[in-house]
């Protein structure tokens, strides 16, 4: 009898793409496509139970073993450093973490740089590696407005198409790191549901490799 694998999916645009990938590699769960607000879906035949959670909460569910596996952006993993295994890069949700500022910004190195971000750990680590003192200002959204209103000198934020920066008159000038979605696993589940989890990771890696080869 196969173990059911509990999968935490990030709710939203990325999650839809991730579910499509899981469906393609044999872990379909048709009821997930029903309109409505249910958050928990199971297909015992395929051996999966899915639940939709807020993207930044995926590592919490996986770290605590409520989910055996999950999909989280590398941004969330770098920011929160959860104690989980990172099994493979799904090549979805590709974007980058960048430093951006107003076009005429000049860094005054005689004082700490004011950095607005949703990702204070990533920002602190990045500037520590450059030996630059910063004053990190943690925000929860609409980061682009901070330099416009003089709350910060720069932002450290996700850039996907670059449209949000452009429309707010900001320019990206350094890439902190490339981002994409990763398949992660709970460390204990990886022992006890090893066969099932390895099978998911292997099929996902194969599908990703095939897709990348055809692009
Ligand atoms: C992210 C990020 C930018 C935007 C960048 O926000 O914080 O605002 O996407 O995308 P673009 O380069 O394609 O314009 P998100 O949509 O995740 O919303 P949030 O600020 O509510 O987290």
């Amino acid at each position: 009898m196969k173990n059911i694998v509990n999968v935490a999916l990030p709710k939203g645009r990325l999650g839809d793409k991730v579910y499509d990938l899981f469906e393609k590699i044999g872990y379909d769960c048709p009821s997930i496509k029903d309109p409505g607000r249910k958050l928990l879906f199971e297909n015992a035949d395929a051996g999966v139970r899915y639940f939709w959670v807020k993207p930044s909460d995926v590592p919490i569910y996986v770290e605590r073993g409520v989910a055996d596996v999950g999909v989280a952006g590398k941004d969330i993993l770098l920011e929160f450093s959860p104690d989980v295994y990172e099994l493979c890069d799904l090549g979805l949700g590709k974007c980058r973490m960048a430093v951006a500022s107003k076009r005429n910004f000049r860094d005054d190195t005689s004082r700490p740089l004011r950095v607005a971000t949703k990702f204070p750990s990533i920002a602190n680590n990045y500037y520590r590696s450059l030996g630059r003192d910063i004053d990190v200002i943690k925000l929860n959204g609409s980061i682009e407005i901070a330099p416009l209103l003089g709350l910060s000198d720069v932002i450290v934020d996700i850039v996907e198409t670059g449209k949000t920066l452009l429309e707010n008159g900001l320019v990206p000038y350094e890439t902190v790191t490339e981002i994409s979605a990763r398949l992660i696993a709970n460390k204990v589940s990886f022992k006890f549901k090893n066969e099932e989890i390895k099978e998911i990771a292997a099929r996902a890696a194969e599908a990703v490799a095939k897709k990348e080869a055809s692009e």
Side-chain angles (χ1 to χ4, degrees):
M1 174 71 185
K2 265 203 327 187
N3 283 310
I4 291 238
V5 177
N6 293 294
V7 185
L9 293 177
K11 210 172 162 191
R13 237 177 340 152
L14 172 64
D16 294 339
K17 287 189 203 158
V18 172
Y19 172 73
D20 289 344
L21 170 68
F22 274 76
E23 186 180 65
K24 208 168 79 191
I25 62 175
Y27 300 97
D28 61 303
C29 184
S31 60
I32 212 169
K33 299 229 159 142
D34 291 346
R37 294 185 173 257
K38 260 184 69 174
L39 297 170
L40 197 60
F41 303 88
E42 179 174 318
N43 181 356
D45 293 337
V48 277
R49 183 183 298 121
Y50 290 109
F51 34 94
W52 295 114
V53 302
K54 201 176 148 128
S56 52
D57 289 342
V58 168
I60 300 173
Y61 284 86
V62 175
E63 188 175 38
R64 289 178 174 262
V66 172
D68 301 305
V69 298
V71 175
K74 187 68 183 172
D75 50 335
I76 306 290
L77 299 176
L78 287 171
E79 181 63 25
F80 298 106
S81 305
D83 188 19
V84 297
Y85 291 132
E86 195 179 307
L87 301 180
C88 82
D89 185 343
L90 298 179
L92 298 170
K94 283 188 182 170
C95 53
R96 64 194 172 107
M97 185 72 65
V99 179
S101 63
K102 290 205 284 190
R103 191 171 296 280
N104 57 3
F105 168 71
R106 290 284 169 274
D107 191 1
D108 172 1
T109 50
S110 67
R111 60 172 181 76
L113 182 70
R114 294 170 309 152
V115 181
T117 186
K118 277 186 278 189
F119 303 94
S121 290
I122 294 177
N124 274 318
N125 289 338
Y126 176 65
Y127 283 103
R128 193 176 305 122
S129 76
L130 298 178
R132 178 76 174 99
D133 276 345
I134 66 168
D135 171 14
V136 74
I137 302 161
K138 162 85 166 71
L139 296 177
N140 299 299
S142 300
I143 312 297
E144 293 81 2
I145 213 164
L148 302 181
L149 298 179
L151 178 65
S152 73
D153 301 308
V154 300
I155 62 172
V156 167
D157 199 16
I158 284 169
V159 180
E160 193 179 344
T161 60
K163 220 170 149 215
T164 312
L165 290 182
L166 192 70
E167 290 192 2
N168 289 288
L170 300 180
V171 285
Y173 72 92
E174 282 160 19
T175 293
V176 176
T177 183
E178 301 293 333
I179 306 286
S180 57
R182 308 297 163 98
L183 180 67
I184 58 174
N186 173 271
K187 291 187 167 177
V188 176
S189 303
F190 193 70
K191 263 198 196 122
F192 291 101
K193 299 185 181 179
N194 188 265
E195 206 179 301
E196 292 86 350
I197 293 176
K198 269 193 169 155
E199 183 69 29
I200 295 175
R203 290 191 202 176
E206 193 190 342
V208 172
K210 244 189 220 162
K211 185 165 169 262
E212 288 186 348
S214 71
E215 280 171 2

